[in-house]
Structure formats: structure tokens, C-alpha cells
Amino acid sequence: KAGVTQTPRYLIKTRGQQVTLSCSPISGHRSVSWYQQTPGQGLQFLFEYFSETQRNKGNFPGRFSGRQFSNSRSEMNVSTLELGDSALYLCASSLGRQEEIFGQGTRLTVV
Amino acid sequence: QKEVEQNSGPLSVPEGAIASLNCTYSDRGSQSFFWYRQYSGKSPELIMSIYSNGDKEDGRFTAQLNKASQYVSLLIRDSQPSDSATYLCAVIKRAAGIKLTFGGGTRVLVKP
């Protein structure tokens, strides 16, 4: 059974640019959540999508957005990148409100 | 006070010994509890979930939950060098609108 797939694995962007990250959940999983991990703040919840609707949202600025498609694949977008956005971005999928399985992550570096 | 607290470690354990990790949480409405293992440079891997008071065993891992005292612990028996990693405690709060709230993690070092 394929796991959660995130692309790309690594990205380098310049301040002010925008970036789009992609996530394909485990087959049959309809919930996709996004997290940001930094050395200073740890793992923090960004948002969750379920059946193409944002169900929950963490405490991040509006520059962070996402969407989910009918096949449950999800994308997250960060606009007007700042140096502090450099982080490991993790996508996780689940069947519902319980156990979340993480993808390998996308490491974003903003220069 | 952080919502989920863990000792950052490192917790140094001899090979073959028991590693004991603790996690406390502040929201009494928390209802689901998880332990993830994260190797350096890798993503978190789910190793245990626990939803009701008591113990839950899975191989060399035992999770313990005490909702009255608001803590959850993880025991790793017969620790191996491959268990050296950061262990993250995570909770789902009731009706909080947030999927998982993580602690800062405990770094475990198993020495041969």
C-alpha cells in the first residue's frame, strides 16, 4: 500500500516569491492535514482538508493557503515568502479524525 | 504553559534497558493521544495510539494514559541503538479545530 507522497522533496526559493507544495494521501484517506516543523517552534498544525473543504485551521497568516481536489490530493501555497518560512512542511493523511500518517515532507529553504 | 510538554532530553539509555518517556498535557478535554518517532532528517512515524486510561502494549512499546493526572507515557523495553531518535507526543483536543498538537519531543540515545 503506497504511503503519503509529497513533492517536491526539496525547494529553494527567494524572499517574496510564492511556492506550491503537493501531497497525495494514502488511497482511501479523505483527510489531509499540513504541518510546519521548525527547530524553534517544533511541529505546528497549519490546516486540514476533508472532502475538498477546509475543516480546521491553525494559527498561521493568510499567506498560507491550501486546497483539496476531488481525488483527495492536496496542495498548499505560501505567498510572499519570508525567511522565517524556511521549514520542513509535512503532509499527513487519515481516514477520519484519528491516526495521522505522515509523508516524507518537503524541505523549503527561503533565501 | 505549553499545551503538550515533554522533557527535551537527551535521555541516555544503555542497550537492553527500558527507556521511559513522559508527556503532560494541559487541556483536560484532550481525547486522543499518540506517540511518533522521528529520526534526524526524516518525517514522524506513528508508533502508538491510545484513547482510554490504562496501558496499551505493542511489541517492545507500552503506552500508558492517565487522564486524571493528564499525562501519557511511553516505555521502550529492550532498547536498541536503532531506537535512538526523537519521540514526539501528540494529542487531539476535543472540538479544538486542530488536528494534532505536538510536544517538543524527547531525544533518546541508546548506547551500545
Side-chain angles (χ1 to χ4, degrees), chain A residues 73-89:
Chain A
R73 190 177 71 84
S74 177
E75 290 180 346
M76 71 163 279
N77 184 275
V78 187
S79 63
T80 319
L81 284 166
E82 301 176 359
L83 294 178
D85 297 333
S86 295
L88 179 65
Y89 289 89

Side-chain angles (χ1 to χ4, degrees), chain A residues 37-107:
Chain A
Q37 187 173 32
T38 61
Q41 298 299 318
L43 254 170
Q44 294 182 287
F45 172 75
L46 280 157
F47 31 67
E48 180 204 8
Y49 285 87
F50 184 87
S51 293
E52 302 179 63
T53 301
Q54 187 179 88
R55 184 157 71 175
N56 293 301
K57 189 176 189 304
N59 188 26
F60 278 81
R63 300 185 296 107
F64 292 81
S65 63
R67 59 178 176 168
Q68 186 180 34
F69 302 95
S70 59
N71 61 358
S72 293
R73 190 177 71 84
S74 177
E75 290 180 346
M76 71 163 279
N77 184 275
V78 187
S79 63
T80 319
L81 284 166
E82 301 176 359
L83 294 178
D85 297 333
S86 295
L88 179 65
Y89 289 89
L90 292 158
C91 167
S93 74
S94 67
L95 281 172
R97 294 187 179 273
Q98 302 302 332
E99 302 173 352
E100 297 220 278
I101 307 300
F102 284 89
Q104 292 180 302
T106 295
R107 185 161 298 279

Side-chain angles (χ1 to χ4, degrees), chain A residues 37 56 97-100 103, chain B residues 32 36 38 43 49 51 92 97:
Chain A
Q37 187 173 32
N56 293 301
R97 294 187 179 273
Q98 302 302 332
E99 302 173 352
E100 297 220 278
Chain B
S32 305
Y36 285 85
Q38 187 173 26
S43 63
S49 60
Y51 305 103
I92 293 180

Side-chain angles (χ1 to χ4, degrees), chain B residues 94-107:
Chain B
R94 180 180 57 195
I98 293 176
K99 272 311 269 299
L100 288 173
T101 301
F102 282 88
T106 297
R107 186 167 160 235

Side-chain angles (χ1 to χ4, degrees), chain B residues 30-47:
Chain B
S30 298
Q31 54 184 186
S32 305
F33 307 86
F34 308 88
W35 284 99
Y36 285 85
R37 176 176 63 196
Q38 187 173 26
Y39 293 111
S40 180
K42 303 295 185 181
S43 63
E45 172 192 8
L46 179 66
I47 54 174

